[in-house]
Amino acid sequence: RFDDVRLGELAWVHGATALVDRLHRAGLLTCVITNGHSEVQHPKLEALRASALFEHILVGGDEVQAGRKEKPDPGIFARACAMTD
């Protein structure tokens, strides 16, 4: 019940989707980077329908499981840039 309520209340901050749409219209690819455990982040991303908004998503917990580092390590930002290059 708690997760249903919590996830049901999640929303992008005002203007976020319009900004990403504007970036797409300008021909830019987008990537969102989360920090935190995969088990927590994936349900949030699904509730927000992030995959419909961003071409790429990097979840910090997934990066750690794959042997890479998460935020604030610069490697995850470099990886995001390479994905959208």
Side-chain angles (χ1 to χ4, degrees):
R1 169 109 171 99
F2 171 75
D3 279 344
D4 292 338
V5 171
R6 177 178 64 94
L7 294 173
E9 293 295 319
L10 284 178
W12 296 109
V13 19
H14 177 74
T17 57
L19 173 62
V20 175
D21 286 340
R22 201 165 151 204
L23 294 171
H24 290 159
R25 284 194 307 275
L28 298 172
L29 297 175
T30 56
C31 180
V32 66
I33 304 171
T34 74
N35 56 339
H37 300 286
S38 302
E39 304 79 32
V40 174
Q41 298 304 317
H42 283 287
K44 290 179 186 178
L45 292 164
E46 289 171 23
L48 291 167
R49 292 178 292 243
S51 62
L53 191 58
F54 297 94
E55 288 83 10
H56 303 283
I57 298 172
L58 290 174
V59 175
D62 294 350
E63 294 298 295
V64 171
Q65 290 173 359
R68 295 181 289 267
K69 294 185 178 181
E70 62 182 328
K71 295 192 294 185
D73 186 83
I76 195 169
F77 298 100
R79 186 163 151 71
C81 289
M83 294 172 126
T84 58
D85 188 17

